[in-house]
Amino acid sequence: MTAGERVGACTTFALALRGVVKRYGEIVAVDGLDLTARAGTCLGLLGPNGAGKSTTMRLITGQTLADAGEIEVLGFRVPRESKRARAAMGVVPQLDNLDEELTARQNLAVFARLYRVPRAERSAAVERALDLAQLRKRADTKTDELSGGMRRRLLIARGLVHSPRLVLLDEPTVGLDPQVRQELWALIDALRGEGVTVLMSTHYIEEAERLADEVAVMSGGRVIATGSPEQLRAAHAGRDAVEYYGPPVRLAEIESIALEAGLATRRTGPAVSVLRAELMTEATSARLGRGYRRPSSLEDVFVSLTGEDVE
Ligand code: ADP
């Protein structure tokens, strides 16, 4: 990042980390992290468990202090200006810590006050957040009577009540059923539509693929690849993959033929996928036999880069 690209009210980045290191004793949780998010976009932090995603989130909010490096959030230096940075950002935690005793509306009102939304604007801010989370009809329902999906939407709405310009979502749909996940995706997408910058950590490939304008693949505390899902596919998985099915012996044979031909493979459930199939010669194709061609996916990228399987 050059001086001209520094974050700030009128510049490009809502978030910038440079050379950030965080150690816990012997463990290096974040190991020289460089990361930027352009204002108004959704940046997805994608990585397996232990990659350093949550630590990165905590460093950005100032909940934990870096051992080295620079962090700038909406033009504020963290940790020096953490207080001002925190006031300007919205944080949606992974764990549901809503107040069970209160209604949806009351939960939002408490946070509107905490975030110092001016008294005259509080009620409008709460109603706006209720609308965004599509909870107006349940506004007066106590939190412990809301469904899991509604609670999660309320948790997101709570982080938005002060109209932050940057929202941090830590694994927003972890453990939710597919239908609720889809509802939350629509909500997150709507946020970006409003010009809010979103930083989302996830280990769900599909979530990153659907929502993120840019994906930073994290492993071992570092960003090992970054780009739009499209760019990542082109750079790390090529255009097509071909899936081959068969008994284990056959799959092992496919892998060794592909290896000889210099093509990467990965196991995909009961099949072996041969990547960069567009580079396959006719001779190799004939040796491999009949397979099913498909476009390459972000999952191919993730597995190729991290060596980790996906859920
Ligand atoms: P992710 O969110 O990608 O799963 P984390 O940021 O939670 O990864 O963890 C990164 C590494 O740092 C892991 O090895 C984890 O065990 C370690 N770690 C995270 N927080 C702490 C902590 N408070 N104390 C000790 N080790 C930690």
Side-chain angles (χ1 to χ4, degrees), residues 274-290:
V274 177
L275 307 182
R276 295 193 191 275
E278 67 275 15
L279 303 178
M280 199 185 284
T281 61
E282 275 186 26
T284 305
S285 177
R287 284 183 72 197
L288 287 169
R290 189 179 159 70

Side-chain angles (χ1 to χ4, degrees), residues 247-261:
V249 178
R250 170 82 184 123
L251 297 184
E253 190 184 42
I254 299 280
E255 283 169 335
S256 90
I257 296 169
L259 186 71
E260 259 177 56

Side-chain angles (χ1 to χ4, degrees), residues 102-274:
L102 302 182
T103 64
R105 184 180 271 123
Q106 287 166 337
N107 262 290
L108 296 175
V110 167
F111 266 66
R113 210 167 60 229
L114 278 177
Y115 274 122
R116 298 174 193 278
V117 175
R119 183 186 291 267
E121 294 165 27
R122 263 181 228 157
S123 144
V126 167
E127 298 311 307
R128 194 190 58 86
L130 282 169
D131 280 342
L132 200 63
Q134 298 191 326
L135 283 172
R136 192 177 272 270
K137 284 193 188 135
R138 309 306 295 267
D140 297 313
T141 304
K142 269 200 178 170
T143 309
D144 63 358
E145 289 160 27
L146 295 176
S147 70
M150 289 176 188
R151 288 179 72 122
R152 199 64 75 108
R153 293 209 302 270
L154 180 58
L155 202 62
I156 296 179
R158 198 185 65 176
L160 299 171
V161 76
H162 55 310
S163 302
R165 285 180 290 142
L166 169 71
V167 180
L168 267 50
L169 296 158
D170 195 2
E171 301 268 2
T173 67
V174 75
L176 297 177
D177 67 49
Q179 196 211 324
V180 176
R181 182 168 296 157
Q182 301 262 0
E183 285 172 21
L184 289 182
W185 286 349
L187 169 55
I188 296 165
D189 205 36
L191 277 183
R192 196 184 34 179
E194 292 199 350
V196 176
T197 309
V198 178
L199 174 67
M200 171 186 75
S201 73
T202 186
H203 63 273
Y204 296 125
I205 311 255
E206 197 188 350
E207 187 156 283
E209 187 137 44
R210 294 264 183 119
L211 294 177
D213 299 294
E214 188 152 338
V215 174
V217 182
M218 277 191 83
S219 178
R222 289 173 166 269
V223 171
I224 55 170
T226 178
S228 66
E230 193 94 311
Q231 289 167 336
L232 287 171
R233 277 195 297 268
H236 302 282
R239 195 189 64 205
D240 294 331
V242 178
E243 292 183 359
Y244 298 89
Y245 292 80
V249 178
R250 170 82 184 123
L251 297 184
E253 190 184 42
I254 299 280
E255 283 169 335
S256 90
I257 296 169
L259 186 71
E260 259 177 56
L263 296 167
T265 61
R266 74 178 186 90
R267 293 276 172 133
T268 40
V272 165
S273 286
V274 177

Side-chain angles (χ1 to χ4, degrees), residues 22-25 27-30 45-58 64 94 170-171 201-203 218-221:
K22 176 66 192 178
R23 294 187 199 90
Y24 292 105
I27 297 170
V28 188
V30 168
L45 277 187
L46 179 67
N49 280 329
K53 304 181 298 295
S54 296
T55 305
T56 302
M57 292 284 194
R58 289 200 302 275
T64 192
Q94 207 181 107
D170 195 2
E171 301 268 2
S201 73
T202 186
H203 63 273
M218 277 191 83
S219 178

